[in-house]
Amino acid sequence: MRSALVGALLVAGATADAAGCRLALVLAMDVSSSVDAREDALQRGGLVAALTAPEVQRAFFASDIPVALAVFEWSGRYNQEILLDWVLIDRPEKLVKAAETVATSTRSHNDFPTAMGYALGYGAGLLERAPECLYQTIDIAGDGQNNEGFGPEQAYREFPFDGVTVNGLVVNGADYEAETGLIAFYKAEVLHGPGAFIEIAQGFEDYERAMRRKLEREVTPPVIGLAASVATGG
């Protein structure tokens, strides 16, 4: 068993070295009309705090093979704006700089619906011009279900999502009737690909904690989990 694990680690390491990046991660932040100015400040500040949290920084640098990161905000069909274009997070200063870029960003729109299918399509386009990485993940955060244009199911059919994992951060405010089924909606229609999961924030006040937990899980090198599983006989 030990020799098999060593062989798997060597193969994974060689492949990662060839790619130069272990994960291309897109973070998509909801700025639709259901998100007011106070809530937007909480999510923007929460993302910044999560990116610079010690446990998230440890996860980013738990391997010599870096993570590539991009961040955009989304709302209506044609209302997506890049907050952070692709950057290879290969040292702590790069992660701090990425967080500072998000911290100084300003909201692009505040009066458009929730066009999640379009947001996913936009994220797929970002991944097409990402650095070459072993894995690709889109993390889409939101406080409401799709209510404009095509939904996630059609996006997954029409855009290049082969091998892409889509995780979700659900802001479970339940301020409107449509939001009471938000967790079920994410589980049934949004999650996509290998290992996809959701993290739940109980309102925007809880956004930082949820984002911190989600980022730590996403960027921790998967080989660490493999080694731990073998070591414990799992």
Side-chain angles (χ1 to χ4, degrees):
M1 177 67 73
R2 179 176 296 178
S3 62
L5 172 60
V6 170
L9 295 179
L10 289 174
V11 170
T15 305
D17 285 337
C21 170
R22 71 177 188 266
L23 172 67
L25 177 61
V26 176
L27 304 178
M29 187 167 62
D30 182 3
V31 293
S32 60
S33 56
S34 61
V35 180
D36 65 27
R38 182 189 68 87
E39 292 167 340
D40 180 67
L42 284 168
Q43 70 175 345
R44 211 169 291 261
L47 175 54
V48 171
L51 285 169
T52 54
E55 59 267 44
V56 173
Q57 293 192 55
R58 284 194 296 270
F60 265 98
F61 303 109
S63 166
D64 291 335
I65 310 304
V67 172
L69 182 65
V71 184
F72 75 95
E73 60 184 29
W74 62 279
S75 53
R77 298 186 188 202
Y78 310 113
N79 308 113
Q80 304 92 24
E81 297 290 339
I82 291 179
L83 303 183
L84 176 74
D85 211 344
W86 286 112
V87 58
L88 197 64
I89 308 296
D90 54 4
R91 57 185 186 274
E93 294 82 0
K94 288 277 195 76
L95 185 57
V96 171
K97 180 64 175 177
E100 289 174 347
T101 299
V102 176
T104 58
S105 66
T106 56
R107 183 173 182 167
S108 57
H109 304 285
N110 61 12
D111 56 353
F112 289 95
T114 304
M116 190 176 291
Y118 284 79
L120 287 167
Y122 186 85
L126 272 180
L127 285 175
E128 286 196 303
R129 61 177 185 80
E132 182 181 354
C133 301
L134 283 175
Y135 304 101
Q136 294 186 322
T137 295
I138 296 173
D139 187 289
I140 188 158
D143 74 335
Q145 299 183 35
N146 185 78
N147 60 19
E148 183 182 52
F150 58 83
E153 182 180 359
Q154 186 172 346
Y156 295 143
R157 289 199 308 267
E158 301 296 333
F159 292 92
F161 277 94
D162 288 347
V164 176
T165 296
V166 178
N167 297 327
L169 194 158
V170 174
V171 184
N172 192 35
D175 292 328
Y176 305 96
E177 183 179 351
E179 293 173 6
T180 59
L182 189 56
I183 295 172
F185 169 76
Y186 264 75
K187 287 181 176 179
E189 299 192 38
V190 179
L191 297 188
H192 176 83
F197 69 95
I198 62 169
E199 191 68 45
I200 299 167
Q202 299 299 340
F204 283 92
E205 292 80 4
D206 193 35
Y207 195 97
E208 177 186 340
R209 181 204 60 81
M211 179 63 74
R212 188 172 64 244
R213 282 172 52 89
K214 181 192 61 58
L215 283 172
E216 184 180 11
R217 181 172 174 179
E218 284 172 330
V219 304
T220 296
V223 72
I224 293 175
L226 171 63
S229 176
V230 172
T232 60

